[in-house]
């Protein structure tokens, strides 16, 4: 571990989790280094509120261009940042999209992990830097047992899940082969007002806001019977940080233990603005997947025992928070209309 202020590197810092994690670590006094992709449009909206003038004294947020498909960019970044902690969150993270982009998903979501681990080894940082891998409940696929925990067999059923399974195993391999402090956080679904708009919860709350403001009439969804264990992203990034402070590197499930259907989420979200979901939601078969994970629910007992972690925001409060934020957004959108 290096002396002085702790340094964290976050890949995927522009995503939902990356933004909450950067906030948390900056508030704790860390120096934070973030890998961002070169895009044709701005992609830093979720972290713009954390911006610091790069010429000011005592700057603690440093952003560098790079890509997890470009090993040289990763090596350059770890050599410059010399992190004590690495949070590897970058991924092509959309399950349905992974069926249309299987090769890209393997490159980014699977091989991206080994490129970053190798960059750390080549830079001589394998023993200094603790490594967090953004693993997922999608590893379990349509699991035969419920709830799922650390002993549940890995049997993914999407190209995304298969790529994450490779990443899971390569992290464990590097831990055992090279003695790295490298861990898999097996996180179940977690959401917020910063969630990407094509994931089902945000797609629903965004539509609720727009329908309530008269900007949209219908919401088209796929499988309403699918059940997920939905928590709040802000709570889950705390678990990530705790996993890297633990005395031993251990892979852990992070979940609420509560199972809800897409239908229940939609009903509650529409109810929040006084609307009946059945009058606005229609099924569109384009949102059905070639292979569906029908039910996921996690048992986070081990994380509670080892880290003292437990989720704070309840399901109902999460839905309310997301709807309220998207209603405010839709009102601003409506106000800009001629
Ligand atoms: P997200 O919002 O989709 O963020 C993904 C991040 O990865 C973005 O910053 C994105 O950059 C970046 N990225 C994508 N391709 C990249 C590439 N080739 N090189 C560098 N960066 C790249 O995902 P999230 O919800 O925050 O999730 C964070 C991580 O946790 C992901 O690995 C996800 O698979 C995993 N996970 C998420 C959940 C969940 O429920 N949210 C549950 C379990 C595991 P751009 O902003 O430029 O697109
Ligand atoms: O919101 P989703 O797209 O999330 P999914 O597939 O569970 O994946 C998310 O959670 C994983 C953790 O288990 C992460 F690893 C992954 O990166 C991502 O963050 O879909 C949730 C459920 C699915 O069963 C889907 O079929 O909602 C169902 N659904 C129904 N209608 C829909 C829709 N999903 C989307 N995206 N869009 C729909 O219109």
């Amino acid at each position: 571990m290096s002396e002085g202020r702790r340094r964290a590197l976050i890949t995927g810092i522009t995503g939902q989790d990356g933004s909450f994690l950067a906030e948390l670590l900056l508030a704790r006094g860390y120096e934070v280094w973030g890998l961002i992709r070169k895009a044709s449009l701005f992609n830093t909206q979720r972290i713009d509120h954390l911006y610091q003038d790069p010429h000011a004294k005592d700057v603690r947020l440093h952003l560098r261009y790079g890509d997890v498909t470009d090993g040289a960019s990763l090596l350059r970044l770890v050599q410059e940042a010399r992190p004590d902690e690495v949070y590897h969150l970058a991924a092509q993270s959309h399950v349905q999209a992974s069926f249309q982009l299987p090769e890209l998903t393997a490159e980014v979501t699977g091989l991206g992990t080994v490129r970053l681990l190798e960059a750390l080894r080549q830079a001589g940082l394998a023993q200094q830097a603790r490594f967090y891998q953004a693993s997922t409940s999608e590893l379990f696929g349509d699991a035969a047992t419920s709830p799922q925990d650390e002993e549940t067999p890995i049997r993914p059923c999407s190209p995304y899940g298969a790529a994450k399974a490779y990443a899971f195993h390569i992290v464990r391999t590097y831990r055992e082969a090279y003695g790295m402090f490298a861990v898999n956080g097996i996180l179940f679904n977690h959401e917020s007002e910063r969630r990407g708009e094509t994931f089902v919860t945000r797609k629903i709350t965004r539509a609720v806001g727009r329908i309530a403001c008269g900007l949209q009439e219908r919401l088209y969804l796929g499988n309403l019977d699918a059940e997920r264990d939905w928590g709040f992203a802000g709570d889950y990034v705390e678990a990530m940080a705790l996993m890297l402070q633990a005395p031993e590197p251990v892979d852990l499930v992070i979940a609420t233990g509560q199972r809800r259907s897409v239908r229940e989420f939609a009903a509650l979200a529409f109810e929040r603005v006084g609307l009946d979901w059945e009058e606005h939601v229609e099924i569109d078969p384009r949102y059905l997947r070639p292979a569906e994970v029908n039910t996921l629910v996690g048992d986070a007992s081990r994380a509670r025992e080892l880290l003292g972690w437990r989720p704070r925001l309840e399901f109902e409060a999460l839905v309310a928070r997301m709807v309220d934020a998207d209603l405010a957004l839709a009102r601003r959108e409506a106000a800009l209309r001629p």
Side-chain angles (χ1 to χ4, degrees):
M1 191 188 306
S2 59
E3 303 218 337
R5 178 177 282 155
R6 289 187 71 73
R7 289 194 291 268
L9 165 61
I10 305 176
T11 70
I13 194 170
T14 55
Q16 170 187 254
D17 291 4
S19 68
F20 280 108
L21 182 64
E23 257 171 30
L24 179 81
L25 297 178
L26 286 169
R28 291 184 178 170
Y30 277 65
E31 184 174 306
V32 174
W33 291 74
L35 178 82
I36 56 170
R37 284 203 287 181
K38 180 71 191 80
S40 64
L41 295 170
F42 288 115
N43 59 357
T44 56
Q45 293 88 334
R46 292 186 180 103
I47 52 169
D48 282 346
H49 62 292
L50 302 174
Y51 178 81
Q52 297 167 333
D53 180 346
H55 304 295
K57 269 192 187 159
D58 198 30
V59 176
R60 290 194 291 117
L61 176 62
H62 308 275
L63 302 176
R64 295 289 182 271
Y65 284 123
D67 198 292
V68 299
T69 60
D70 178 346
S73 72
L74 300 180
L75 180 58
R76 211 166 34 245
L77 177 55
V78 299
Q79 282 171 332
E80 188 182 3
R82 302 194 70 75
D84 303 298
E85 298 174 16
V86 176
Y87 296 88
H88 178 42
L89 311 184
Q92 189 304 92
S93 73
H94 203 279
V95 174
Q96 190 177 17
S98 78
F99 285 99
Q100 286 161 45
L101 300 165
E103 206 174 316
L104 175 95
T105 304
E107 273 294 341
V108 174
T109 305
L111 291 178
T113 302
V114 79
R115 282 193 198 97
L116 187 52
L117 287 165
E118 271 303 297
L120 288 167
R121 270 178 20 89
Q122 282 174 37
L125 296 167
Q127 305 309 317
Q128 165 186 316
R130 293 186 167 201
F131 188 93
Y132 173 88
Q133 162 65 18
S135 272
T136 163
S137 42
E138 273 289 310
L139 293 180
F140 304 132
D142 218 12
T145 54
S146 185
Q148 295 83 45
D149 63 18
E150 293 81 3
E151 309 308 321
T152 304
I154 293 179
R155 196 185 164 281
C157 59
S158 66
Y160 168 80
K164 285 282 188 183
Y166 169 78
F168 174 92
H169 288 302
I170 203 71
V171 165
R172 185 183 45 74
T173 302
Y174 272 54
R175 178 169 72 222
E176 289 168 6
Y178 303 120
M180 286 181 74
F181 191 112
V183 295
N184 289 288
I186 308 169
L187 272 53
F188 283 62
N189 299 50
H190 46 278
E191 318 294 314
S192 74
E193 63 282 4
R194 296 185 201 167
R195 183 62 141 150
E197 293 184 21
T198 60
F199 296 95
V200 76
T201 57
R202 185 76 201 287
K203 184 172 167 183
I204 293 170
T205 60
R206 189 79 175 99
V208 165
R210 287 174 55 84
I211 291 169
C213 289
L215 296 171
Q216 180 177 330
E217 277 183 18
R218 315 229 143 268
L219 166 62
Y220 297 94
L221 295 174
N223 179 10
L224 299 181
D225 295 323
E227 294 176 313
R228 289 291 182 275
D229 177 334
W230 281 298
F232 170 53
D235 291 342
Y236 285 48
V237 299
E238 287 188 11
M240 296 178 190
L242 283 170
M243 284 182 72
L244 291 198
Q245 317 311 319
E248 301 294 334
V250 186
D251 299 333
L252 290 172
V253 159
I254 302 296
T256 71
Q258 305 279 315
R259 190 175 67 179
R260 311 286 183 144
S261 67
V262 172
R263 182 180 286 99
E264 278 175 273
F265 191 105
L268 206 56
F270 276 92
E271 193 184 301
R272 178 86 183 159
V273 294
L275 294 173
D276 179 353
W277 72 279
E278 287 181 282
E279 288 175 13
H280 299 278
V281 172
E282 280 183 30
I283 304 299
D284 183 335
R286 282 178 307 168
Y287 297 114
L288 300 174
R289 298 171 181 189
E292 173 67 301
V293 171
N294 290 299
T295 297
L296 282 173
V297 59
D299 175 356
S301 308
R302 200 142 179 239
R304 194 160 51 242
E305 200 181 298
L306 293 181
L307 309 176
W309 180 86
R310 60 183 70 236
R312 278 193 284 240
L313 200 70
E314 299 280 341
F315 179 74
E316 288 74 12
L318 172 66
V319 176
R321 177 183 170 126
M322 291 177 69
V323 170
D324 292 355
D326 276 329
L327 188 59
L329 179 60
R331 285 189 178 131
R332 290 197 294 278
E333 218 179 325
L336 290 175
R337 292 238 162 154

